[in-house]
Amino acid sequence: MFKNHKLTNQQDVQFARLQAWVMSLVCSLLVLFAAAAATRIPHYLTVGDYGRLLSVILFSVLTIVGLVANIHTHITLKESNK
């Protein structure tokens, strides 16, 4: 009734590469949003809205960490092809 569909190692790597490229798109969009939000930092400093300032900085740091992790994933998948 149920068929066992196991992927081969090469199919696993190809699927992981597809996931990495989709995550690259997501991370790139998030970095773009973080850059847009960072343009408001001078305004938050002058108004004294430190909650939003901290939120923008935290969001920027998290997006950069996500992008670096995604680049590391691409490098690891490229090395696994050798």
Side-chain angles (χ1 to χ4, degrees):
M1 185 167 154
F2 292 105
K3 293 182 181 178
N4 194 2
H5 295 290
K6 294 200 177 201
L7 297 176
T8 64
N9 189 30
Q10 184 62 28
Q11 289 172 330
D12 282 338
V13 170
Q14 288 175 350
F15 186 65
R17 283 186 183 151
L18 176 64
Q19 287 177 327
W21 280 109
V22 170
M23 277 307 295
S24 293
L25 176 65
V26 170
C27 288
S28 299
L29 287 174
L30 287 175
V31 168
L32 182 65
F33 293 154
T39 62
R40 301 291 294 171
I41 288 177
H43 173 71
Y44 296 148
L45 285 172
T46 58
V47 175
D49 194 356
Y50 297 113
R52 288 188 187 189
L53 177 66
L54 185 62
S55 299
V56 167
I57 292 171
L58 182 63
F59 179 61
S60 298
V61 168
L62 290 176
T63 57
I64 297 298
V65 168
L67 186 64
V68 169
N70 186 261
I71 291 170
H72 179 263
T73 302
H74 279 286
I75 292 170
T76 303
L77 287 171
K78 188 171 185 171
E79 289 175 356
S80 70
N81 192 27
K82 292 179 182 179

